[in-house]
């Protein structure tokens, strides 16, 4: 184990000789503001060329030092920016700007700051930098160390923390050996290179006592309060305790006060769950580590018609200059008066297009919070949205655990991960602590999506409904015509006219309420009077019996064409699903992956593949390419199989094939409340948006649908994705599975999605090679 460094191990001396040498070079090349008497002043201060151990020796030479230092520090910024010259690898300032002194020095001229590094890390960093200077100058090892030093001070006006990063400049620092420079053997050089960040080991090869550093370090302090606070918030929000513990929430509020520069600012958070708003703020108890238990619950209806309702419908931040002047906030006016809060920012928190909560920033000063503050808050929205989503997910998991102790069955590929989590949960419960199952997230996952859909299924379904209703109306008209031939009651003509009007309207298209209206009319005006019609003689009885025979007794209407359509869809879906299942099982033995299959009008599937899904790893780019080639081959098979099923279907149905390609990976999280995997994170949902809207895609500047019967459409965004898929297409063309009619297409923008491109190619339905493969796979 490394020995603790309690101090900087090297000998360091203050010296201005490097700067004096530099100044003399400047004087020899041009006239500068150093002045004509520079050499005279320099001659009167010989001690500045040597090592300075007593800083009081500098006092008589402040004029000369000031001139020299203005070569280092720009004069125009001297009063406004924090600069300092410091003893090398020491934190003793010897010359500094007024701004530096005001921010960082105490009354004795010493640094009075809090560092982001503990003493051990600080000393280690200084030692490493010193050794790197030695190795670079004397041994040709060119390495650098970015070891940021961030110091924290309290703002004298607000009392809030402000963070500054110190940028050291070592141009005026030199290092020399004390005695003869040691020559390193090959073994020693290897040891040094392997331990560049372990000064204790380096000291055994190059003792610190063998070197001396002289000169001075130039420091410039740059304020980094915003980036430091945002980074800290990111770290805090990873831990859900920040939202559900008093200490964590107070820490969040303190950081936000620092970011906004307002010590009297208050923060509030809310989560949306079903019809309730869960208000989470510093005023809540925050004792149970549960967002539901430690929040104030208010019905969503209480916010309807108020300013707060707007966050449910828009992602824009709302600025309220004075809450007491907002009529819509009258219902909580007393709360604002009691708290003293006046100015208000309300930021909606959205996740995957849905409002899951809100964030509230409040100030006691009217008009205090404005557009610039809203701009800062907008950068925090994704962070807090994800935090609230995680909190809600955790709540969902706890509720689900009450309903059912264990998860439902999971895919075999990821079963190992659930098993791990279950064992950890069991261990925690055995210890007597209350716990929930840990989040299950797989990182670096590649999505493989495709589908074989029935073309025009909605049109075919509506046509079947129209045909059945038309038949039903004609059967009713037939009864009335038979009845009129026996007893010509005037009401028969009125009923016939009403039925014929419905029949004519159906010929022009099915309306949303037509089916229920027609069935209701026939049941009320015709079927309830069957006793009357049955008494009109054998001819009418025969027609009524025909009506009864064709009308489904359970559904109350003719259901012939719809039954044929549903049978066709079911037969096609079952056949395609069976074929797809066999293909996927064969693929699983080659490339382990997570698989989801959905059946609607056709079938579509989603595959997740990646190293994190495999218990022992082993995923690589060749396996990903294999999945993509399999996907194209599968589409060929689905297209061929659907075409050759056509003759067996009562109603002919055409299918289309679609593939979506994405070459970048993302994280997926198991949603305990929904028992499924979903894309994790606010920044990775574009793929989900594309997938949900792709079936409506059309070609650029046309109304032509991208998907066409007998062809495969491959959608992508980035050119490299298209290049790879073209290689797979060319291979399958050589194999005879695809036609030589490849199209390269641009697609119309979809809502929220731009820049999609596609390849489209015909399936060779007469290919003998494709036929043999499909029959072999179908078994």
């Amino acid at each position: 184990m490394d020995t603790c460094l309690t101090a900087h191990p090297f000998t360091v001396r203050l010296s201005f000789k490097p700067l004096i040498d530099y100044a003399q070079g400047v004087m020899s090349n041009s006239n500068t503001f150093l002045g004509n008497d520079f050499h005279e002043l320099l001659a009167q201060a010989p001690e500045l060329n040597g090592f300075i151990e007593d800083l009081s020796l500098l006092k008589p030479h402040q004029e000369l030092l000031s001139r020299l230092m203005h070569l280092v520090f720009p004069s125009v910024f001297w009063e406004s920016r924090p600069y300092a010259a410091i003893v090398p690898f020491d934190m003793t300032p010897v010359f500094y700007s007024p701004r530096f002194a005001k921010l960082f020095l105490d009354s004795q001229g010493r640094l009075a700051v809090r560092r982001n590094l503990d003493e051990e890390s600080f000393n280690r960093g200084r030692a490493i930098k010193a050794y790197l200077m030695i190795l670079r100058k004397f041994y040709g090892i060119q390495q650098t160390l970015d070891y940021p030093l961030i110091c924290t001070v309290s703002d004298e006006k607000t009392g809030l923390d402000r963070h500054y990063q110190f940028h050291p400049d070592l141009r005026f620092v030199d290092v020399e050996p004390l005695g003869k420079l040691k020559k390193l053997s090959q073994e020693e050089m290897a040891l040094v290179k392997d331990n560049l960040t372990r000064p204790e080991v380096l000291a055994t090869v190059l003792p610190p006592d063998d070197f001396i550093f002289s000169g001075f370090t130039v420091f410039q302090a740059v304020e980094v309060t915003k980036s430091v606070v945002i980074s800290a918030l990111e770290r805090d929000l990873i831990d859900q305790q920040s939202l559900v513990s008093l200490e964590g929430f107070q820490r969040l509020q303190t950081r936000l006060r620092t970011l906004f520069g307002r010590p009297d600012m208050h923060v509030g958070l809310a989560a949306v769950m079903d019809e309730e708003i869960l208000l989470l703020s510093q005023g809540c108890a925050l004792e149970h580590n549960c967002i539901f238990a430690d929040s104030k619950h208010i019905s969503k209806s209480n916010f309807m018609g108020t300013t707060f309702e707007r966050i449910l419908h828009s992602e824009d931040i709302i600025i309220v200059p004075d809450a007491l002047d907002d009529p819509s906030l009258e219902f909580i006016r007393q709360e604002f008066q009691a708290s003293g809060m006046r100015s208000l920012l309300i930021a909606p928190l959205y996740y995957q297009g849905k409002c899951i909560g809100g964030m509230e920033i409040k100030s006691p000063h009217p008009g205090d919070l404005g557009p610039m503050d809203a701009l800062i808050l907008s950068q925090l929205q994704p962070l807090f949205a994800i935090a609230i989503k995680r909190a809600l997910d955790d709540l969902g998991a706890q509720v689900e655990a009450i309903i059912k102790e264990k998860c439902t069955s999971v895919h075999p590929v990821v079963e190992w991960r659930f098993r791990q989590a279950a064992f950890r949960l069991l261990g925690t419960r055995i210890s007597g602590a209350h716990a929930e199952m840990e989040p299950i997230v797989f990182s670096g996952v590649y999505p493989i999506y495709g589908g074989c859909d029935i073309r025009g299924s909605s049109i075919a379904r509506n046509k079947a409904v129209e045909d059945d209703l038309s038949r039903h109306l004609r059967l009713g008209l037939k009864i009335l015509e038979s009845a009129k031939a026996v007893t010509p009651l005037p009401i028969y003509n009125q009923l016939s006219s009403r039925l014929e009007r419905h029949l004519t309207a159906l010929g022009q298209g099915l309306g949303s309420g037509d089916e229920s209206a027609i069935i209701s009319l026939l049941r009320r005006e015709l079927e309830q009077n069957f006793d009357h019609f049955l008494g009109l003689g054998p001819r009418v009885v025969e027609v009524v019996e025909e009506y009864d025979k064709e009308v489904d007794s359970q559904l109350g209407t003719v259901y012939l064409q719809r039954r044929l359509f549903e049978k066709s869809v079911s037969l096609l879906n079952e056949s395609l699903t069976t074929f797809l299942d066999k293909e996927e099982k064969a693929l699983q033995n080659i490339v382990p992956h997570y698989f989801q299959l959905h059946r609607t009008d056709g079938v579509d599937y989603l595959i997740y593949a990646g190293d994190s899904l495999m218990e022992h790893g082993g995923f690589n780019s060749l396996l990903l390419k294999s999945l993509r080639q399999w996907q194209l081959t599968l589409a060929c098979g689905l297209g061929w199989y659907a075409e050759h099923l056509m003759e067996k279907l009562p109603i002919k149905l055409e299918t289309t094939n679609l593939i979506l390609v994405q070459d970048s990976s993302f994280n997926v999280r198991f949603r305990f409340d929904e028992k499924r995997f979903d894309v994790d994170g606010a920044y990775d949902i574009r793929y989900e948006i594309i997938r949900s809207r792709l079936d409506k895609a059309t070609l650029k500047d046309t109304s032509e649908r991208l998907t066409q019967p007998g062809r495969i459409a491959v959608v992508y965004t980035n050119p490299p994705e298209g290049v790879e898929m073209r290689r797979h297409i060319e291979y399958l063309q050589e194999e005879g599975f695809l036609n030589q009619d490849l199209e390269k297409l641009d697609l119309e923008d979809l809502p929220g999605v731009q820049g999609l491109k596609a390849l489209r190619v015909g399936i060779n339905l007469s290919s003998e090679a494709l036929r043999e493969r499909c029959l072999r796979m179908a078994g």
Side-chain angles (χ1 to χ4, degrees):
M1 183 177 293
D2 292 341
T3 303
C4 179
L5 289 178
T6 58
H8 190 260
F10 289 92
T11 300
V12 296
R13 294 290 183 268
L14 175 65
S15 174
F16 293 98
K17 186 177 186 306
L19 179 57
I20 291 171
D21 291 343
Y22 174 73
Q24 289 176 332
V26 172
M27 286 287 290
S28 64
N29 292 325
S30 62
N31 292 323
T32 71
F33 58 80
L34 288 171
N36 296 328
D37 60 344
F38 172 71
H39 289 292
E40 181 182 344
L41 291 174
L42 190 59
Q44 297 172 5
E47 57 268 33
L48 296 185
N49 269 299
F51 296 151
I52 303 170
E53 297 187 15
D54 183 0
L55 298 184
S56 65
L57 296 176
L58 301 179
K59 291 183 180 180
H61 309 296
Q62 288 300 304
E63 171 63 23
L64 176 58
L65 279 176
S66 179
R67 294 190 196 182
L68 286 170
M69 287 299 175
H70 279 86
L71 290 173
V72 181
F73 304 123
S75 301
V76 69
F77 299 127
W78 181 249
E79 295 292 334
S80 60
R81 294 190 181 178
Y83 297 114
I86 292 175
V87 177
F89 300 108
D90 193 296
M91 296 305 286
T92 303
V94 295
F95 194 86
Y96 37 81
S97 69
R99 183 66 175 162
F100 190 94
K102 184 176 182 180
L103 285 172
F104 308 119
L105 302 186
D106 61 17
S107 59
Q108 303 300 317
R110 296 171 300 192
L111 277 172
V113 296
R114 288 168 281 151
R115 296 193 297 261
N116 64 320
L117 305 173
D118 58 49
E119 195 67 20
E120 159 68 7
S121 299
F122 179 62
N123 289 328
R124 181 174 299 278
R126 292 193 297 168
I128 292 171
K129 283 195 173 185
Y131 268 116
L132 291 179
M133 282 190 66
I134 294 170
L135 296 172
R136 183 164 52 250
K137 181 174 181 180
F138 299 117
Y139 298 102
I141 297 177
Q142 302 295 322
Q143 290 287 342
T144 58
L145 172 67
D146 185 10
Y147 211 79
L149 176 61
I150 296 176
C151 294
T152 302
V153 296
S154 295
D155 187 284
E156 61 179 11
K157 293 182 179 179
T158 65
L160 298 171
D161 285 346
R162 295 173 67 181
H163 306 279
Y164 291 83
Q165 182 171 352
F166 280 14
H167 294 275
D169 184 345
L170 303 178
R171 285 179 300 165
F172 300 103
V173 178
D174 195 14
V175 59
E176 293 295 337
L178 293 172
K180 186 178 179 179
L181 181 67
K182 180 179 179 179
K183 184 176 181 180
L184 300 184
S185 65
Q186 289 185 349
E187 292 77 10
E188 288 174 322
M189 283 291 284
L191 181 64
V192 166
K193 290 180 180 179
D194 289 341
N195 294 277
L196 292 176
T197 59
R198 300 181 65 192
E200 298 82 4
V201 177
L202 297 178
T204 64
V205 181
L206 297 169
D209 292 341
D210 290 353
F211 298 90
I212 183 171
F213 288 84
S214 63
F216 64 92
T217 302
V218 175
F219 267 97
Q220 178 182 358
V222 177
E223 185 167 8
V224 290
T225 299
K226 182 178 178 181
S227 60
V228 167
V229 171
I230 291 178
S231 296
L233 285 170
E234 289 176 344
R235 293 192 300 271
D236 288 343
L237 291 174
I238 290 174
D239 180 9
Q240 290 187 15
Q241 296 300 310
S242 296
L243 294 182
V244 298
S245 71
L246 180 60
E247 179 184 357
F249 199 90
Q250 286 177 334
R251 184 169 57 249
L252 285 177
Q253 178 160 269
T254 298
R255 296 198 195 284
L256 289 169
R257 285 174 172 175
T258 298
L259 182 63
F260 285 86
R262 290 176 172 84
D264 50 4
M265 186 184 82
H266 282 222
V267 180
L269 287 174
V272 178
M273 183 178 178
D274 299 329
E275 293 304 310
E276 281 194 321
I277 306 294
L278 316 182
L279 298 182
L280 187 68
S281 69
Q282 196 175 9
C284 295
L286 299 174
E287 295 176 349
H288 300 91
N289 295 330
C290 170
I291 191 173
F292 192 82
D294 291 320
S295 58
K296 183 179 179 181
H297 307 169
I298 298 179
S299 172
K300 190 187 293 184
S301 61
N302 288 355
F303 292 97
M304 296 301 103
T306 74
T307 298
F308 290 102
E309 181 190 5
R310 288 161 55 188
I311 72 170
L312 300 174
H313 311 293
S314 172
E315 297 185 45
D316 296 333
I317 293 175
I318 301 169
I319 302 174
V320 181
D322 191 343
L324 300 184
D325 290 340
D326 190 328
S328 76
L329 300 181
E330 182 66 30
F331 75 112
I332 53 173
R333 182 184 181 87
Q334 290 184 350
E335 292 186 24
F336 278 104
Q337 288 176 329
S339 66
M341 295 295 110
R342 300 288 293 274
S343 185
L344 185 65
L345 291 182
I346 308 172
L349 302 178
Y350 272 73
Y351 185 86
Q352 294 188 352
K354 180 183 178 181
C355 181
I356 62 169
M359 184 174 179
E360 183 183 61
I361 302 293
K362 297 178 286 187
S363 167
H365 311 292
D368 188 31
L369 298 169
M372 297 306 295
D373 302 293
L375 184 62
I376 296 174
L377 186 56
S378 67
Q379 300 176 54
L380 304 178
Q381 284 176 283
L383 298 179
F384 280 88
I386 293 173
I388 289 291
K389 185 64 172 68
R390 285 174 177 159
L392 288 172
D393 284 346
D394 183 65
L395 171 59
Q398 293 184 50
V399 171
E400 187 63 29
I402 296 172
I403 298 171
K404 199 170 186 179
E405 175 65 21
K406 297 180 181 179
C407 299
T408 55
S409 60
V410 294
H411 197 279
V413 168
V414 295
E415 185 178 357
W416 63 272
R417 181 65 184 87
F418 285 82
R419 194 167 56 248
Q420 281 183 355
F423 274 119
R424 290 172 184 152
L425 178 62
L426 180 61
T428 305
R429 287 182 174 177
I430 290 174
S431 69
H434 176 74
E436 296 298 333
M437 185 173 286
E438 65 194 45
I440 295 179
V441 180
F442 295 97
S443 59
V445 169
Y446 293 92
I448 306 290
Y449 173 76
C452 181
D453 292 331
I454 297 173
R455 180 65 178 271
S457 60
S458 298
I459 297 174
R461 183 180 286 105
N462 286 342
K463 179 65 168 58
V465 174
E466 291 172 12
D467 290 346
D468 283 341
L469 291 176
S470 296
R471 176 62 182 163
H472 198 169
L473 287 169
R474 289 190 179 95
L475 288 171
L477 285 169
K478 194 172 182 180
I479 291 174
L480 291 172
E481 291 298 323
S482 300
K484 280 192 289 185
V486 177
T487 306
L489 294 177
I491 193 64
Y492 294 162
N493 292 327
Q494 183 193 120
L495 287 174
S496 296
S497 176
R498 292 168 67 186
L499 296 184
E500 286 172 353
R501 285 201 301 273
H502 278 292
L503 192 61
T504 301
L506 281 177
Q508 299 174 355
L510 181 68
S512 59
D514 288 350
E515 182 176 4
S516 60
I518 291 170
I519 293 173
S520 176
L521 173 63
L522 290 167
R523 185 173 295 159
R524 185 178 64 254
E525 302 291 349
L526 199 66
E527 295 175 11
Q528 289 186 5
N529 294 303
F530 271 4
D531 289 343
H532 165 77
F533 292 120
L534 291 173
L536 296 180
R539 173 60 187 149
V540 180
V541 169
E542 181 181 344
V543 175
V544 172
E545 289 177 347
E546 181 185 3
Y547 181 102
D548 271 340
K549 184 178 179 181
E550 292 201 33
V551 172
D552 188 286
S553 59
Q554 292 183 337
L555 300 174
T557 186
V558 175
Y559 211 77
L560 176 61
Q561 292 301 316
R562 277 174 283 187
R563 187 171 287 110
L564 292 176
F565 172 78
E566 290 172 357
K567 183 177 180 181
S568 297
V569 171
S570 178
L571 179 59
L572 184 59
N573 275 353
E574 289 175 5
S575 300
L576 293 178
T577 298
T578 301
F579 181 82
L580 180 52
D581 280 341
K582 291 181 178 180
E583 283 272 9
E584 190 271 329
K585 286 177 182 177
L587 176 68
Q588 194 70 251
N589 295 326
I590 304 171
V591 186
H593 57 274
Y594 177 85
F595 179 77
Q596 288 180 351
L597 176 67
H598 304 280
R599 290 176 53 172
T600 51
D601 288 348
V603 295
D604 63 86
Y605 59 88
L606 177 62
I607 288 174
Y608 290 138
D611 202 66
S612 64
L613 288 165
M614 302 165 68
E615 186 169 7
H616 304 293
F619 190 80
N620 56 47
S621 61
L622 288 177
L623 295 181
L624 180 60
K625 288 182 171 64
S626 296
L627 279 170
R628 299 253 172 81
Q629 183 172 309
W630 169 85
Q631 190 180 24
L632 267 172
T633 307
L634 172 69
C636 294
L638 290 171
W640 184 92
Y641 207 70
E643 179 67 21
H644 289 79
L645 276 173
M646 194 81 72
E647 60 188 28
K648 298 180 182 180
L649 302 180
I651 294 178
K652 306 306 177 187
L653 299 172
E654 293 182 316
T655 61
T656 63
N657 278 276
L658 177 67
I659 290 172
L660 174 60
V661 180
Q662 175 168 305
D663 209 20
S664 58
S665 63
F666 48 54
N667 298 346
V668 293
R669 175 185 294 266
F670 185 78
R671 306 296 179 192
F672 287 100
D673 52 348
E674 300 177 18
K675 297 293 189 294
R676 68 180 181 88
F677 282 100
D678 196 6
V679 175
D680 183 42
Y683 301 105
D684 292 325
I685 63 171
R686 185 172 185 269
Y687 182 84
E688 294 293 302
I689 295 174
I690 296 174
R691 189 162 66 89
S692 65
R693 298 174 180 175
L694 202 53
D695 60 328
K696 307 298 183 184
T698 59
L699 305 191
K700 193 78 170 178
D701 299 326
T702 75
S703 59
E704 180 184 344
R705 292 281 291 272
L706 168 64
T707 53
Q708 295 294 332
R711 300 182 72 75
I712 301 171
V714 180
V715 179
Y716 62 95
T717 302
N718 301 317
E721 297 167 346
V723 170
E724 180 190 343
M725 296 308 292
R726 288 191 69 161
R727 292 197 190 102
H728 298 318
I729 289 171
E730 290 166 0
Y731 169 74
L732 292 179
Q733 287 174 329
E734 294 172 1
E735 292 293 302
F737 288 13
L738 294 173
N739 295 327
Q740 301 291 328
D741 58 354
L742 178 64
E743 302 173 274
K744 186 175 180 181
L745 308 166
D746 291 324
L747 303 185
E748 284 287 354
D749 293 342
L750 299 173
V753 180
Q754 295 81 37
L756 293 180
K757 300 180 181 300
L759 300 172
R760 193 166 65 182
V761 63
I763 303 170
N764 186 359
L765 298 173
S766 61
S767 167
E768 186 63 27
L770 181 57
R771 175 181 176 276
E772 290 179 1
R773 188 185 188 284
C774 290
L775 293 178
R776 183 174 66 253
M777 187 58 64

